[in-house]
Amino acid sequence: MRIFYDLFFLIFGLFYIPGLLLKGKLHRDFPQKFGLLPEEVTAPERPVWIHAVSVGEAVVAAKLAGAIKGSFPDIPVIVSTTTRTGKDMLRKAVNIRRTEGAAPRSVDAVFYYPLDISAVVSRVVRLVKPRLYLMVETELWPNLLEELHLKGVPVVLANGRISDSSFGNYKKIRFFTKRILRCVDLFCMQSAKDAEKIKALGARDEKVCVTGNMKFDDLSIPSKGAGFTREELGFDGSEELLVAGSTHFPEEQMVIDVYRQLKEKKNNMKLVLAPRHVERADAIRIYIEKSGLRYRRFSDVLKGGKGQCDILLVDTIGHLKDIYSAASVVFVGGTLAKKGGQNPIEPARWGKPVVFGPDMSNFREIAEVFLENDAAVSVKDTAEMKKAIEDLLTDPGRRDRMAGNALKVIEKNSGTVARTVEKIEKYLEPIA
């Protein structure tokens, strides 16, 4: 089986690597994918190896790494990622610099995940010698999991989830999936539904448990005085503020059109528009100018710029989560544009009513919990979005109820990281 899988992967590589060359995506750390690891990865003795695919999983991995270090400070933790954005985020999110007087590092090294070729993964496992392998969410690479199993390394799936589409695909090859799942020692799943799905694919009942969704732990309820005030965003403080966060094309046009209609009834209404990819700010600016509305860039506000505007265009990275604090109502982007959505906890933790479109597939479980507890509103199109926002703006009582419900949901579902660490403690005890 491994021979055929390796053959497939090698054929894939013949097209994959030239494609990266043409796109200019090869970089100096790319050899790590072939098992050529730097000393900072191979030097730690018997580390915990956490794997996170990209940015979303990397945030969870950083939280999990910090919790492991909190309980077992002497155990090294290394984290691998598949994408460059994931690796860059981890380097910023965790303290890995070896500076004199720095706080203890939650992660000892960050590196690229190896290509799942038997010779490559065998080399990586031999060099790293992990005491435990933790994969965040569901990233099943057959060769690596079999190699770890053969070497007696415990394998744990943390924050496990199976999307409906992935479940359908895995079911088609259940004979193969079942064999891979036998290499996993423990499945810590996000929900009962995810637990049932992983069992249906071949995981043994006694290996499966429900620990919750770590993304509820990523964003705690902020302390008083945190975030931005409306005055700090360049407004006078008396406005009703609609914040549209992490939007994709053509959601900006949809939101601006809805805003223009609502502004006719509520003259003091303002819009904060934060595209998911800030490099699209110039393209969005052109549409705003054509609409006849006044705008300002958030980067200018940060520099002390002043002036009236209808729309604040966020063209910086890392500020949106705190800008939500000034909102009256929040629209979560990537949900009408069918991009899977974004985490509604980010605005909800500030006690803000949340509206999102029909596609919350990347945060399905969180969205379901919010909707079941009347902590969010789901809309099908721009007409429903306009009505939902207008209703919330004209009914402060409902806004407060939704905000309170959201905070209760977050508090109730927090603690997943601690529960996960408790489940894996048996694998973290000192090695004789």
Side-chain angles (χ1 to χ4, degrees), residues 112-251:
Y112 282 109
Y113 196 70
L115 295 175
D116 201 43
I117 300 171
S118 57
V120 174
V121 298
S122 178
R123 170 184 169 82
V124 170
V125 173
R126 185 178 71 254
L127 290 174
V128 171
K129 298 182 181 65
R131 73 175 65 209
L132 171 65
Y133 175 77
L134 276 167
M135 47 187 172
V136 176
E137 299 199 2
T138 308
E139 181 80 352
L140 304 174
W141 290 105
N143 275 338
L144 179 62
L145 294 183
E146 286 201 7
E147 184 68 24
L148 291 165
H149 184 65
L150 289 171
K151 293 294 190 295
V153 178
V155 175
V156 174
L157 173 61
N159 211 46
R161 66 181 289 265
I162 304 285
S163 68
D164 294 337
S165 59
S166 295
F167 181 61
N169 292 332
Y170 282 135
K171 278 180 69 177
K172 294 174 184 177
I173 54 170
R174 187 180 182 278
F175 69 95
F176 185 54
T177 304
K178 185 176 181 179
R179 173 179 170 175
I180 300 171
L181 295 181
R182 286 178 179 172
C183 299
V184 181
D185 297 270
L186 180 63
F187 299 86
C188 297
M189 308 304 290
Q190 291 184 15
S191 68
K193 289 181 180 178
D194 292 305
E196 291 306 313
K197 286 179 180 177
I198 204 74
K199 291 177 186 178
L201 293 176
R204 295 176 181 173
D205 288 8
E206 66 272 15
K207 291 185 176 183
V208 180
C209 62
V210 177
T211 49
N213 191 332
M214 288 188 195
K215 287 174 181 174
F216 277 104
D217 285 12
D218 292 340
L219 297 164
S220 59
I221 295 171
S223 59
K224 187 176 181 180
F228 288 96
T229 65
R230 292 176 190 174
E231 291 85 354
E232 288 171 334
L233 296 179
F235 302 114
D236 64 26
S238 63
E239 305 87 354
E240 295 283 13
L241 199 62
L242 169 62
V243 177
S246 297
T247 56
H248 293 257
F249 175 84
E251 287 175 329

Side-chain angles (χ1 to χ4, degrees), residues 346-421:
E346 288 192 351
R349 74 188 183 115
W350 293 102
K352 305 301 177 180
V354 176
V355 177
F356 48 72
D359 186 6
M360 283 289 284
S361 54
N362 290 341
F363 298 89
R364 171 175 52 82
E365 298 83 3
I366 295 177
E368 288 176 356
V369 172
F370 269 66
L371 292 172
E372 288 169 1
N373 289 274
D374 190 28
V377 178
S378 179
V379 298
K380 296 179 181 177
D381 50 33
T382 51
E384 288 194 4
M385 175 172 67
K386 175 180 175 293
K387 185 178 186 307
I389 293 172
E390 186 173 18
D391 289 347
L392 288 167
L393 289 176
T394 56
D395 189 348
R398 188 175 179 218
R399 289 208 314 253
D400 292 343
R401 286 193 300 274
M402 283 183 61
N405 291 340
L407 294 175
K408 289 177 183 177
V409 166
I410 295 172
E411 290 174 348
K412 181 180 178 180
N413 288 277
S414 296
T416 298
V417 173
R419 287 191 290 273
T420 302
V421 172

Side-chain angles (χ1 to χ4, degrees), residues 5 9 20 36 56 118 205 221 228 253 263 268 274 292 294 301 323 365 367 385 393 432:
Y5 184 74
F9 219 108
L20 291 177
L36 302 176
S118 57
D205 288 8
I221 295 171
F228 288 96
Q253 297 180 18
K263 187 173 172 60
N268 70 331
R294 299 169 299 169
V301 173
I323 289 175
E365 298 83 3
M385 175 172 67
L393 289 176

Side-chain angles (χ1 to χ4, degrees), residues 82-97:
T82 303
T83 67
R84 190 170 186 173
T85 52
K87 187 176 182 183
D88 289 345
M89 194 289 303
L90 269 168
R91 286 193 174 277
K92 293 176 183 177
V94 299
N95 176 24
I96 69 169
R97 293 185 178 180

